[in-house]
Amino acid sequence: SAVISQKPSRDICQRGTSLTIQCQVDSQVTMMFWYRQQPGQSLTLIATANQGSEATYESGFVIDKFPISRPNLTFSTLTVSNMSPEDSSIYLCSVGIYTEAFFGQGTRLTVV
Amino acid sequence: GESVGLHLPTLSVQEGDNSIINCAYSNSASDYFIWYKQESGKGPQFIIDIRSNMDKRQGQRVTVLLNKTVKHLSLQIAATQPGDSAVYFCAEKVSGGYNKLIFGAGTRLAVHP
């Protein structure tokens, strides 16, 4: 199993600013995943973060808007850049160990 | 308040009844399926999984059924309890990938005493 800690757990941000979300895992993992969960909706994969290489983004998500860092095997950050109210969502970090995926508790972002 | 599940379809059941939550998946190349439970303010929690070479798998109070012909997955919860109230998501993993998951729309389960 894996224990995933995300910071911050929630934030209220002004439009036009950026927020960096941190994800710390208690074990070394190859892949880390970032998801977005818009209000009342399901989870959508933003990108996959591999240590030592650039993140792979899903359709509809771009690096300029959601830059990701993966400096080591236990840590990753997701930045939500130049925020607008449409970015208000829960952002979740996930890791895969064998066939199971584990999730952090999420970061609830409100953009005003 | 909690917005997860606010606009999702809701299944309302009486405590003690059995619940069946359905999910249609999209990719016939998916080889692994998982059900997650998401409670208010938390990330999704693993409930049960099933591989594509199976059509049924049972856990404690939960059973997952897989029908690959119609790309349908269901989660059965026996003797539903108030603590089962949450949003439930199915997820599929496409064969050949790593642990990248595609999530279904989700269903909110409301258990009434």
Side-chain angles (χ1 to χ4, degrees), chain B residues 14-74:
Chain B
Q14 290 295 124
E15 181 178 359
D17 286 353
N18 297 331
S19 303
I20 299 176
I21 301 171
N22 296 304
C23 175
Y25 65 92
S26 57
N27 196 324
S28 56
S30 295
D31 62 354
Y32 179 64
F33 305 88
I34 312 105
W35 279 101
Y36 284 93
K37 173 184 180 183
Q38 188 175 27
E39 296 176 288
S40 175
K42 297 182 179 179
Q45 295 174 278
F46 174 93
I47 301 173
I48 191 169
D49 59 359
I50 188 168
R51 296 196 173 278
S52 59
N53 61 354
M54 304 170 68
D55 54 20
K56 180 179 180 179
R57 187 158 188 235
Q58 286 184 292
Q60 187 177 14
R61 278 202 312 119
V62 295
T63 301
V64 55
L65 300 177
L66 174 62
N67 185 331
K68 294 182 288 294
T69 303
V70 295
K71 291 192 284 188
H72 182 268
L73 200 62
S74 70

Side-chain angles (χ1 to χ4, degrees), chain A residues 18-37:
Chain A
S18 298
L19 176 72
T20 296
I21 302 167
Q22 299 179 3
C23 178
Q24 179 75 52
V25 189
D26 67 345
S27 56
Q28 294 185 338
V29 293
T30 304
M31 299 282 189
M32 295 178 76
F33 304 88
W34 286 97
Y35 288 84
R36 180 176 73 182
Q37 187 173 26

